[in-house]
Amino acid sequence: DVKVTQSSRYLVKRTGEKVFLECVQDMDHENMFWYRQDPGLGLRLIYFSYDVKMKEKGDIPEGYSVSREKKERFSLILESASTNQTSMYLCASSPPSGRANLEQYFGPGTRLTVT
Amino acid sequence: AQSVSQHNHHVILSEAASLELGCNYSYGGTVNLFWYVQYPGQHLQLLLKYFSGDPLVKGIKGFEAEFIKSKFSFNLRKPSVQWSDTAEYFCAVSEAASKLTFGTGTRLQVTL
């Protein structure tokens, strides 16, 4: 089974802090994604990556950056956390080829609270 | 840009009732369609998917969905819900590459 793990289930940070959210997948997937999930808004794509050192902006990249130094790891960085970044953050990965790459596998999520 | 609408935000049903959750998308070309489910405290997981062929697709746990191209719809159905189906359900659409666009979700509450 595909396994996507996220470094923390719950995280509390102060406004202005730099925050790192880590995601690791164990199935050699090329594609990795970061979403935020908010009530009434569903999942919104922040950033995604098709390969190591490659990244592309999603629908809501402002205030975030990402890093993909190794194929299995995709990090989301909040350079200066703000209260409006309080949310559930979900990481996902998908295989590299054909239509199978459209099915995404999700991690358990990190609930981030910024105070 | 692609958009996905789920008009039912919160649905409450009694056990054994039938379920239909609506999903409409905006893109007029070839799309790939998904329903994901998030049970309380669990990660998001795939319920079913449509790529091509028979527009009626069956997924896990007795769920099915019907793709109606003329209506831009991909509604999720289950003939008889169980208490364990209590969860949040998300419709998602992909028109290109690996990106998915998700709807806002429908929270289903099944009462005993």
Side-chain angles (χ1 to χ4, degrees):
Chain A
D1 279 351
V2 175
K3 192 163 186 183
V4 180
T5 57
Q6 295 183 229
S7 51
S8 306
R9 291 300 302 271
Y10 300 93
L11 208 53
V12 180
K13 295 292 182 180
R14 293 194 179 273
T15 301
E17 278 193 81
K18 190 169 185 176
V19 182
F20 293 87
L21 302 182
E22 304 285 339
C23 175
V24 177
Q25 50 93 4
D26 66 357
M27 283 301 291
D28 201 35
H29 285 173
E30 300 282 350
N31 306 314
M32 296 188 75
F33 308 83
W34 274 107
Y35 296 89
R36 63 178 284 175
Q37 181 181 7
D38 299 289
L41 297 177
L43 277 74
R44 293 178 292 167
L45 183 64
I46 304 172
Y47 267 97
F48 60 103
S49 170
Y50 288 128
D51 204 347
V52 175
K53 297 193 185 294
M54 293 180 66
K55 60 185 179 184
E56 292 202 29
K57 293 180 179 179
D59 300 318
I60 52 164
E62 296 77 20
Y64 303 94
S65 62
V66 290
S67 172
R68 190 147 180 221
E69 296 296 319
K70 292 184 178 182
K71 191 174 185 179
E72 68 271 17
R73 188 179 298 269
F74 192 35
S75 303
L76 180 70
I77 304 156
L78 286 66
E79 295 290 342
S80 177
S82 64
T83 55
N84 63 13
Q85 292 178 309
T86 291
S87 187
M88 173 70 86
Y89 290 87
L90 298 180
C91 177
S93 70
S94 68
S97 61
R99 275 181 164 163
N101 71 0
L102 297 174
E103 180 176 339
Q104 295 184 14
Y105 298 83
F106 284 83
T110 295
R111 186 168 294 283
L112 172 67
T113 301
V114 183
T115 62
Chain B
Q2 178 70 263
S3 67
V4 180
S5 299
Q6 292 182 245
H7 304 293
N8 313 105
H9 299 295
H10 189 194
V11 173
I12 302 174
L13 294 173
S14 300
E15 262 203 332
S18 64
L19 170 72
E20 181 159 2
L21 301 182
C23 173
N24 290 92
Y25 60 92
S26 61
Y27 184 65
T30 301
V31 291
N32 302 287
L33 300 156
F34 305 81
W35 276 98
Y36 280 83
V37 60
Q38 189 173 36
Y39 297 103
Q42 296 188 26
H43 63 272
L44 209 64
Q45 56 188 287
L46 184 69
L47 200 55
L48 49 77
K49 60 190 175 187
Y50 172 79
F51 290 157
S52 64
D54 188 343
L56 184 63
V57 292
K58 295 190 184 299
I60 59 172
K61 302 186 180 185
F63 286 90
E64 63 180 32
E66 185 174 13
F67 169 53
I68 304 179
K69 190 174 182 179
S70 61
K71 295 185 178 180
F72 298 88
S73 71
F74 190 55
N75 291 356
L76 181 70
R77 300 195 294 245
K78 186 171 184 179
S80 175
V81 294
Q82 300 173 307
W83 179 80
S84 59
D85 293 324
T86 294
E88 190 156 17
Y89 294 81
F90 294 91
C91 181
V93 175
S94 176
E95 61 184 90
S98 302
K99 287 179 62 177
L100 294 181
T101 300
F102 284 85
T104 54
T106 297
R107 187 172 299 276
L108 172 65
Q109 183 180 349
V110 180
T111 61
L112 295 171

